[in-house]
Amino acid sequence: MAVNDPCLILLRKIQQMEFVALELNLYLDIHPDDCKALEQYNCTHKELCELKRQYEQQYGPLLNYGYGMNTGNNWRWAEQPWPWEM
Amino acid sequence: MWLYEKKLQYPVNVSCKNVQLAKWIITQYGGPDGELAASLRYLNQRYAMPTERAKAVLNDIGTEELAHLEIVGTLVHKLTKDASVAELKAAGLGGHYADHDRALFYVDAVGNPWTAAYIQAKGDPIADLTEDMAAEQKARATYNWLINLSDDPQVTDVLRFLREREVVHFQRFGETLNYMQEYLSEKKCY
Ligand SMILES: [Fe+2]
């Protein structure tokens, strides 16, 4: 897949926002009373949900086991290339 | 339980096939200071931790290490997938080819298989968190040496990301250790 492929561009955005959420998550694990970090975490969650919704609608599920939606008439989980093949 | 997300934590691109580099990088897949050892160590130690914060840190860093395992696996796979037998042989992977073809396996840079002897769970939270901090430093140093060995800037970029994560994990474990020491000394007072 080319670097400027719209699918990859959206995926990069998701990776960036997920990284922000993960960093805040690890920080909050040991600083659970930091209100500012908590607020940032919740903001990131909202943005991430929207990005993932967009991605899954266009390119198929990011998560399986019922945590992602499968749009279209066929099972799309195995349709997109696997991460180590992209 | 765990959910699989069909994406890498950080994008992995390689400039070209590079069997020699893959042979060194695989140590972070199945070597003594690699991501498999890290993940299994933390996810296993969490059961015996006395504070909620320590359980959360071990659970969540142990989970992130699984994402790193997938990044390292992707690097090795991309660097070796089109290699000829002659190229594998020339890079010292003739033995690997005999046992595994081009399949990945949990080995270090010289082919030693992964062993649970790399990790420990002492049941003593101070001992375990101190081991975890040392493990993060050893992983950071390994990524440093791999960056020195790398001749592919795209691979170096990924190795730098992984090295940075070890620094952050060390920091979080350090905070967890401080909190644990406070917790244990307060407990003794009552
Ligand atoms: Fe780590």
Side-chain angles (χ1 to χ4, degrees), chain B residues 65-79:
Chain B
E65 306 292 12
L66 283 177
H68 297 169
L69 185 68
E70 188 179 35
I71 292 175
V72 175
T74 299
L75 274 172
V76 173
H77 172 70
K78 287 193 172 184
L79 290 169

Side-chain angles (χ1 to χ4, degrees), chain B residues 35 38 42 61 64-65 68 135-136 139 162 165-167 169-170 173:
Chain B
E35 303 291 355
Y42 306 151
I61 294 183
E64 188 185 357
E65 306 292 12
H68 297 169
E136 293 297 333
L162 292 169
R165 297 312 296 150
E166 311 304 359
V167 176
H169 293 170
F170 176 76
F173 280 133

